[in-house]
Amino acid sequence: MTTVDPRITDFYTEYDEASRLHSTATGRLEFRRTQELLRRYLPPAPARVLDVGGGPGTHAGWLTEQGYEVLLLDPVPKHVEQARERAPRCVARLGDARDLDVEADTFDAVLLLGPLYHLPERGDRLAALREARRAAVPGGLVAAAGISRYSLMQDYTVSAGLPPELLAGEVSQVVRTGSYDGSRGFTVAHFHTAAELMREAGEAGLGAVRVHGIEGPGWAYVVAAGRCAGQDEAGALVADAMATARLADEHGVFHDASAHILVVGSA
């Protein structure tokens, strides 16, 4: 039986993940673009969806409202309770992405929109992706998200307070290796490049792998506007950021400039 790093469960027990994708302009940008991309690939409802690491039910909510049959698994008890409240039509229970308590060839789509960046060991990430492939029906959709290797550098830059020691320390460490120790404002994590995330998906056995930058290159400007002018002003930029994200994706550029990267493939 696998165990989840207690630093992760402790972080999310305290952190308000339930409101993150709705309380800020960048959160809304991430949510809307993720939703837009998933709709492009999901089979029509009523398909069976496994939402691995589904958190407080943010995506399970709209999926079930559109008629999908959703099983949500998450290792954080608080998230499972919140998912049952926020998405009452889904089934939510505790689970670990690396060892899914589900039968093989069961789900039309498997989502891993959170687990991979909380698995710092590459072997664990591959195990999670292989478990997703096992749970999906042959040819079914597997969609997995990662945090961009360069997002920390962008985020700290627009914070208007990037001291030299921070740039030379944890920011440089993440850019070089992708590894983050959770020492400041987040928990232990791995930050991907788009190419790395695609390689891992392919090595896990997924076929027809495609990659998308979720927020596109404009997300850092939305962050800066929110910090300097307020969320109302930043919210006005979301539609433009969505448009530039689509344009960048269409031409296959700037995947790594997004805060989050999405890969999709077939089981």
Side-chain angles (χ1 to χ4, degrees):
M1 185 68 176
T2 55
T3 57
V4 176
D5 190 320
R7 291 175 292 180
I8 295 172
T9 52
D10 289 347
F11 175 81
Y12 282 108
T13 298
E14 298 297 326
Y15 182 71
D16 184 17
E17 177 67 12
S19 65
R20 182 180 69 84
L21 295 180
H22 304 288
S23 61
T24 66
T26 50
R28 293 191 293 274
L29 172 62
E30 178 190 343
F31 174 73
R32 292 175 189 173
R33 265 289 285 171
T34 301
Q35 189 180 49
E36 179 179 81
L37 290 167
L38 290 178
R39 282 176 168 154
R40 185 184 305 179
Y41 291 102
L42 282 168
R48 295 162 296 175
V49 178
L50 179 61
D51 190 3
V52 184
T58 302
H59 291 289
W62 69 265
L63 287 167
T64 53
E65 287 174 1
Q66 294 192 2
Y68 289 94
E69 179 183 333
V70 180
L71 170 61
L72 180 148
L73 302 176
D74 197 274
V76 181
K78 173 186 172 183
H79 286 170
V80 173
E81 294 174 5
Q82 290 175 321
R84 290 169 178 166
E85 295 175 359
R86 295 170 63 90
R89 297 178 185 175
C90 85
V91 176
R93 65 176 191 244
L94 291 171
D96 189 310
R98 298 162 294 178
D99 185 18
L100 298 175
D101 184 20
V102 299
E103 294 183 2
D105 306 335
T106 302
F107 295 90
D108 302 295
V110 181
L111 311 180
L112 299 104
L113 302 180
L116 293 190
Y117 46 82
H118 288 313
L119 295 171
E121 297 299 326
R122 187 171 184 273
D124 285 337
R125 297 194 297 275
L126 292 176
L129 287 163
R130 287 171 178 143
E131 276 288 271
R133 180 172 61 86
R134 180 186 67 81
V137 299
L141 170 70
V142 176
I147 299 178
S148 169
R149 178 77 60 90
Y150 308 105
S151 62
L152 189 65
M153 177 174 61
Q154 293 170 278
D155 191 22
Y156 281 178
T157 299
V158 298
S159 295
L162 183 62
E165 63 272 15
L166 192 62
L167 183 62
E170 64 188 55
V171 175
S172 295
Q173 170 75 9
V174 169
V175 171
R176 288 195 311 270
T177 69
S179 297
Y180 183 65
D181 62 6
S183 60
R184 190 190 305 266
F186 197 41
T187 184
V188 59
H190 181 78
F191 293 71
H192 281 89
T193 65
E196 177 188 26
L197 188 56
M198 288 189 71
R199 285 195 302 270
E200 291 180 356
E203 188 169 336
L206 299 181
V209 177
R210 300 184 65 179
V211 64
H212 298 278
I214 293 180
E215 298 93 341
W219 74 274
Y221 299 100
V222 177
V223 172
R227 288 174 176 162
C228 298
Q231 290 303 316
D232 290 342
E233 290 80 357
L237 297 175
V238 170
D240 291 340
M242 290 274 288
T244 58
R246 295 186 194 109
L247 181 61
D249 233 16
E250 179 183 345
H251 292 278
V253 296
F254 294 127
H255 292 141
D256 287 306
S258 286
H260 295 81
I261 305 162
L262 184 74
V263 292
V264 295
S266 59

